[in-house]
Amino acid sequence: MEVSKQELEYPQMLLNYMDGFMISKTMFAACELGVFDLLLEVGGPLSSNAIAERLGTSADGMDRLLAACVGLRLLEVKEHQGEVLYSNTDLSQMYLTKASPRTLYYSVAYYSHTIYHCFSHLTDAIREGKSQYERAFGISSMELFESLYRSEEEMLKFMQLMNSIWNICGKDVVTAFDLSTFTNIFDLGGCTGAIAKECISAYPRSRVTIYDLPKVVEMAGRYFVSPDEERITFHEGDFFKDPIPDADLYILARIIHDWTDDRSLELLTRVNKACKPGSGVLLIEALLEEDRRGPITTQLYSLNMLVQTEGKERMPSEYLKLLESAGFKDVQIRKTGKIYNVIFGRK
Ligand code: SAM
Ligand code: ASE
């Protein structure tokens, strides 16, 4: 693609890319300090000094942070009787406050505490082709989910991250295919139960079992799934080692992208063995375009899979090949128009 003469004279795009991490960190800092939560709580505009005082920060630092948030369209500013006052935009109120039902606060927190540090070692990750937990957090080689869950606090933060995107894309992924004929559904690596909740709300006859590691099941029961959800149950196990019980649909959301082709094939073959004829498998994943031109979000996520996991993001043709090698047929793909898409296969 040719750039315009004007762009060659003044490379605005490159300048924007250089600033990218500052934009991220500015938004993260405003979230972490509680700027958006405070403005929601107060319910009206506040001066920079008042915000600094309430949040216990320097006045000068807060003044600059708020100015940058206005530039990023995360806050609104107005002058009233000589005083400069700040308030939330609709977008920050809906997505950046902790208690909002559509909050991305926990995604922001995980990006800021974990992903950001892994990405400071991106160059090394690419040289070596492996995750950067050792460098970023000083922990020596452990199994993937042992490093992701290196403390109870970190496990909870990861679970909150996993949970939060389904506030935005959950309904789309469970309704991309009509799943109403499947009543006994297993969500392998089902984590916080976000997908399970979407399923039972979209399909009144379905029951969903969340299959995950024992520690995760314990946390999910404690923090995420209410015991009143009669149609959601738990099953503790390791999907690489322990039996996979009977079901008529197996959902694997963001599971295959954590693993190498070999491990993915091993897992999908185990799932295929557990399937009866007619049973299905539903993969929920971000998808790369076959022509390698995008989507940029998924291309960046694939780099994140490199710095954080053993896996990668894949193209539809790669998922098709994995599923067919594992014994699935009639593979169909549906795009949702959002980050995550859906791949359905049958035994
Ligand atoms: N499906 C959820 C979602 O998309 O929000 C969570 C995806 S998360 C990337 C991967 C999940 O697989 C985690 O909940 C993790 O605990 C679980 N997991 C990893 N290894 C596992 C294993 N060997 N057996 C069962 N679950 C496992
Ligand atoms: C995983 C998904 C994620 C494992 C580690 C992860 C995500 C972040 N870290 O299965 C969610 C997607 N976001 C990005 C930046 O990739």
Side-chain angles (χ1 to χ4, degrees):
M1 230 186 307
E2 272 310 311
V3 296
S4 64
K5 206 169 164 194
Q6 192 189 347
E7 187 77 25
L8 273 177
E9 277 311 308
Y10 188 72
Q12 184 63 57
M13 183 181 83
L14 302 185
L15 298 175
N16 291 347
Y17 290 177
M18 278 196 273
D19 291 347
F21 82 94
M22 296 191 218
I23 295 178
S24 302
K25 270 292 183 186
T26 299
M27 180 170 89
F28 298 169
C31 281
E32 282 165 357
L33 290 165
V35 171
F36 307 110
D37 285 326
L38 174 64
L39 290 169
L40 172 66
E41 183 198 316
V42 169
L46 284 182
S47 71
S48 167
N49 278 340
I51 296 174
E53 206 161 292
R54 289 284 298 266
L55 299 178
T57 73
S58 69
D60 177 43
M62 183 55 72
D63 201 47
R64 298 187 211 193
L65 178 68
L66 298 175
C69 286
V70 172
L72 292 172
R73 307 278 180 273
L74 300 176
L75 291 176
E76 271 162 29
V77 66
K78 65 173 184 199
E79 258 192 76
H80 184 70
Q81 295 174 343
E83 229 192 349
V84 181
L85 297 173
Y86 296 90
S87 49
N88 283 335
T89 61
D90 292 344
L91 201 65
S92 49
Q93 186 114 325
M94 183 169 313
Y95 292 104
L96 299 178
T97 55
K98 241 189 227 174
S100 164
R102 294 171 75 81
T103 190
L104 290 175
Y105 180 91
Y106 296 98
S107 294
V108 165
Y110 193 81
Y111 270 63
S112 182
H113 289 118
T114 299
I115 298 179
Y116 183 83
H117 296 286
C118 291
F119 263 77
S120 4
H121 305 290
L122 180 63
T123 312
D124 294 314
I126 286 160
R127 278 202 190 98
E128 296 164 10
K130 67 178 179 70
S131 94
Q132 295 297 309
Y133 277 103
E134 207 167 332
R135 274 198 188 84
F137 304 107
I139 51 176
S140 55
S141 76
M142 289 197 263
E143 290 233 15
L144 167 54
F145 279 88
E146 285 172 9
S147 20
L148 279 167
Y149 298 156
R150 58 198 175 278
S151 66
E152 196 157 293
E153 192 193 356
E154 192 60 29
M155 173 159 76
L156 184 59
K157 283 191 187 143
F158 180 76
M159 292 177 76
Q160 286 166 325
L161 166 82
M162 288 296 115
N163 207 52
S164 76
I165 195 69
W166 303 124
N167 294 336
I168 301 173
C169 324
K171 186 163 190 233
D172 304 74
V173 296
V174 304
T175 57
F177 289 94
D178 178 6
L179 306 176
S180 59
T181 60
F182 300 112
T183 51
N184 175 20
I185 300 173
F186 260 66
D187 186 359
L188 301 177
C191 205
T192 64
I195 294 284
K197 289 178 199 166
E198 292 293 346
C199 279
I200 62 165
S201 99
Y203 304 107
R205 296 190 319 123
S206 73
R207 298 180 156 274
V208 185
T209 304
I210 299 162
Y211 184 114
D212 214 303
L213 300 167
K215 283 194 297 187
V216 177
V217 165
E218 197 252 315
M219 293 282 253
R222 184 139 47 113
Y223 294 106
F224 295 95
V225 181
S226 129
D228 307 339
E229 304 275 16
E230 281 175 11
R231 290 151 63 208
I232 298 182
T233 47
F234 290 101
H235 184 105
E236 297 179 0
D238 178 330
F239 50 44
F240 285 113
K241 294 191 188 126
D242 297 322
I244 299 178
D246 246 14
D248 41 34
L249 180 70
Y250 296 94
I251 297 178
L252 291 88
R254 294 191 286 189
I255 303 300
I256 300 304
H257 81 158
D258 289 333
W259 306 102
T260 60
D261 286 348
D262 285 350
R263 296 234 74 200
S264 300
L265 187 56
E266 185 186 331
L267 176 57
L268 290 172
T269 304
R270 295 197 90 221
V271 175
N272 187 266
K273 294 241 162 72
C275 280
K276 296 183 293 284
S279 295
V281 64
L282 191 82
L283 307 184
I284 299 172
E285 297 284 1
L287 291 175
L288 291 167
E289 282 159 23
E290 298 287 343
D291 69 7
R292 294 166 190 277
R293 303 251 160 119
I296 180 57
T297 305
T298 312
Q299 292 164 332
L300 294 174
Y301 282 15
S302 198
L303 288 173
N304 187 51
M305 289 302 106
L306 176 69
V307 296
Q308 278 211 290
T309 73
E310 302 176 8
K312 60 180 179 182
E313 303 299 348
R314 295 177 173 85
M315 300 184 280
S317 59
E318 296 176 291
Y319 283 108
L320 179 71
K321 195 172 154 209
L322 281 173
L323 283 170
E324 288 184 346
S325 308
F328 291 98
K329 57 181 193 195
D330 304 331
V331 179
Q332 286 174 268
I333 292 175
R334 297 251 163 97
K335 300 239 173 122
T336 65
K338 299 187 181 170
I339 307 177
Y340 291 103
N341 299 296
V342 190
I343 306 149
F344 178 69
R346 279 188 188 272
K347 174 133 175 178

